[in-house]
Amino acid sequence: PKYAAYVTILREELVPAMGCTEPIAIAYAAAKARDILGCLPDKAVIRCSGSIIKNVKSVVVPNTGGMRGLEAAAAAGIVAGDAEKKLEVLSAIGPDRFPDIQAYLDRADIRVEFLATDRAFEMLISVSGEGHTADVRITDTHTNLTLLKKDGRVILDRSAPETDRKTDPQSASDASPDCAPASCAGPRPDQRLLNVQDIYDFAKTVDISDAREVILRQVSYNMAIAEEGMRNPYGANIGKTLLRFHGGENASTEIRARALAAAGSDARMHGCSLPVVINSGSGNQGITVAVPLTVYAREKNASEEELIRALTLANLVAIQQKTRIGTLSAFCGAVCAGVGTGAGIAFLLGEDLKTVAHTIANALAILPGMVCDGAKPSCAAKISQAVEAGIFGYQMYKNGQQFYAGDGLVVKGVDANVETIGRLGREGMLETNRKIIEMMLGHADPAAQP
């Protein structure tokens, strides 16, 4: 059962998405609302939790000609989105539709409102037109539909307290755009069962056929956007800047790994339409896990199987940490992915469980307080730093150095450290998240609600 659960977790979490996943979730919900309404709405109200507003505010929405923000994401979904494609809802939009999206933004009544909710991830899209109304609510994960209504009539309602979305088979299929039917046939696995020893054993022994498709798709997609980010100017050009000042073509493997990962984020945050395979609901985290490890594997001339096994471990280590923190938080998710990368590199280089565990513990002690202030160009720089922390955690242990229990938040045992840092992100940074949202939205009164 545990083996099957780990396979299912990989299939559910490593799915394709185009663009930053929060604006894409808004576009998906908006496209779904339009479909339910049955016509192009003349009014739309986008109500979102503060963390979603934070993550959408500054990022370019792909396939819109450079538009930014929540209104643009909703308009793109309404005008030209394909709700059947879920996290690739905007993938089929061509330049010929950009004027239509802009024209709709100019004439339609689109409003963004703060949604008072105790959930970090929740949105409610309400549209109206031709005398009808439609409502779509998404909670917890980017495609988890929990309420659908038309003209006040409930079509779908999974929002009742007694409904456990984590164990609802239908909820599983909605939350997993590409999961195989077999993996969606029963309750979703509890990701809290992930632990470092079992992850290591699973990566060592998994039947390659159970991991090949999802892992190689992640490599293909995420390396493609990283290489695109190195070829062309995007965002703050963090990847190209890093490479330029650290040796260029003669840069070390570590620098090339950091630069390519940053370049992938450069492109993605600037609206590049290439898809990525996400990790823990985030394309940036998927890039952070996959790209550096692929660079190291190519340098090592590793076999396909070695890369698949190393990325299996890295992805699950990142998911283990993010599960403890929550979907959206003030804790930068790139840190979780960077730690997973460091562990995956250690595994790829033939290290044992003890070394992998110490790599994770060391890396978690280096950047546990890096904050998330939304999706924007500086995410690429944070990714570079997170990858560096993951790699340095490994280098420390190989040099006979480690952090010990009592050093700040460090405790004894690698899984205990994951739990501690998870609690920091989940509970300790709640007020930090509220303050970041408040500052980003321009509220001068510290007590004011966004």
Side-chain angles (χ1 to χ4, degrees):
K2 186 175 288 187
Y3 179 97
Y6 277 36
V7 170
T8 300
I9 289 169
L10 281 176
R11 291 177 179 174
E12 289 184 344
E13 292 290 344
L14 272 59
V15 296
M18 191 187 73
C20 180
T21 44
E22 278 70 58
I24 291 301
I26 288 173
Y28 168 60
K32 192 75 174 178
R34 178 210 61 213
D35 289 350
I36 294 170
L37 188 68
C39 66
L40 198 67
D42 48 39
K43 181 178 180 180
V45 181
I46 309 156
R47 300 178 179 91
C48 296
S49 57
S51 290
I52 293 177
I53 294 173
K54 176 184 75 172
N55 263 24
V56 180
K57 174 177 177 290
S58 303
V59 74
V60 174
V61 182
N63 284 352
T64 62
M67 300 177 192
R68 297 174 186 263
L70 291 94
E71 295 91 340
I78 288 170
V79 172
D82 181 352
E84 293 299 315
K85 294 181 181 294
K86 297 190 177 181
L87 291 182
E88 295 182 279
V89 57
L90 305 182
S91 61
I93 300 176
D96 60 311
R97 300 305 307 273
F98 297 171
D100 297 335
I101 297 170
Q102 185 61 61
Y104 182 77
L105 273 171
D106 292 340
R107 73 172 185 272
D109 179 7
I110 303 179
R111 290 186 285 120
V112 175
E113 297 179 0
F114 175 76
L115 179 64
T117 174
D118 59 358
R119 297 177 185 271
F121 194 105
E122 185 167 12
M123 66 180 70
L124 175 62
I125 310 290
S126 300
V127 299
S128 59
E130 297 184 6
H132 298 281
T133 64
D135 302 278
V136 173
R137 185 187 296 271
I138 290 179
T139 57
D140 299 332
T141 57
H142 294 75
T143 57
N144 185 38
L145 300 169
T146 53
L147 181 68
L148 304 177
K149 291 169 65 177
K150 181 172 184 180
D151 296 332
R153 179 179 60 85
V154 174
I155 300 169
L156 171 76
D157 186 0
R158 297 197 199 108
S159 58
E162 65 271 20
T163 300
D164 180 3
R165 281 181 294 277
K166 287 185 178 293
T167 59
D168 177 26
Q170 183 61 43
S171 175
S173 65
D174 276 340
S176 313
D178 278 5
C179 65
S183 72
C184 295
R188 297 182 68 190
D190 182 357
Q191 294 184 0
R192 293 187 65 85
L193 62 81
L194 292 167
N195 65 82
V196 172
Q197 179 166 341
D198 285 347
I199 290 171
Y200 183 91
D201 291 342
F202 178 78
K204 279 282 190 183
T205 61
V206 63
D207 185 329
I208 290 298
S209 65
D210 285 333
R212 175 181 283 111
E213 181 180 358
V214 291
I215 295 295
L216 292 186
R217 180 172 58 188
Q218 186 184 46
V219 170
S220 174
Y221 283 24
N222 296 7
M223 286 301 293
I225 199 169
E227 290 160 358
E228 169 65 15
M230 291 300 290
R231 278 193 300 268
N232 293 301
Y234 288 100
N237 292 295
I238 300 298
K240 289 194 280 191
T241 301
L242 182 63
L243 199 62
R244 177 185 174 189
F245 284 95
H246 290 84
E249 294 298 320
N250 298 316
S252 67
T253 305
E254 177 183 340
I255 292 297
R256 286 188 287 108
R258 290 171 54 195
L260 270 166
S265 179
D266 283 326
R268 186 170 171 271
M269 294 293 93
H270 202 68
C272 176
S273 61
L274 289 175
V276 301
V277 169
I278 65 178
N279 178 294
S280 303
S282 165
N284 274 347
Q285 290 170 53
I287 290 168
T288 306
V289 170
V291 171
L293 250 174
T294 303
V295 171
Y296 269 80
R298 290 176 178 177
E299 178 71 19
K300 180 181 180 288
N301 291 320
S303 67
E304 179 183 277
E305 179 174 338
E306 288 175 316
L307 176 58
I308 290 170
R309 293 191 184 280
L311 273 171
T312 294
L313 179 132
N315 277 292
L316 290 174
V317 166
I319 293 166
Q320 180 197 11
Q321 296 168 71
K322 198 65 172 67
T323 296
R324 272 65 177 178
I325 292 167
T327 306
L328 295 177
S329 153
F331 189 104
C332 178
V335 173
C336 304
V339 172
T341 292
I345 289 169
F347 185 92
L348 181 74
L349 298 178
E351 304 293 356
D352 60 12
L353 172 61
K354 185 176 181 181
T355 303
V356 169
H358 278 284
T359 296
I360 294 168
N362 284 344
L364 282 173
I366 296 171
L367 284 180
M370 188 157 70
V371 299
C372 170
D373 53 342
K376 70 290 177 208
S378 67
C379 290
K382 293 183 178 184
I383 284 172
S384 172
Q385 295 302 305
V387 173
E388 180 183 32
I391 294 171
F392 189 65
Y394 169 58
Q395 292 169 341
M396 278 182 61
Y397 191 69
K398 288 299 289 181
N399 195 45
Q401 306 300 316
Q402 66 182 84
F403 298 114
Y404 292 91
D407 292 346
L409 290 174
V410 178
V411 295
K412 187 173 179 61
V414 61
D415 292 307
N417 276 284
V418 172
E419 294 291 343
T420 297
I421 299 305
R423 186 180 174 193
L424 171 68
R426 185 179 66 254
E427 300 174 15
M429 298 179 79
L430 276 174
E431 183 58 33
T432 301
N433 201 44
R434 282 192 286 266
K435 182 59 67 176
I436 290 170
I437 295 166
E438 175 187 301
M439 293 169 71
M440 289 177 69
L441 297 181
H443 294 271
D445 180 0
Q449 291 295 314

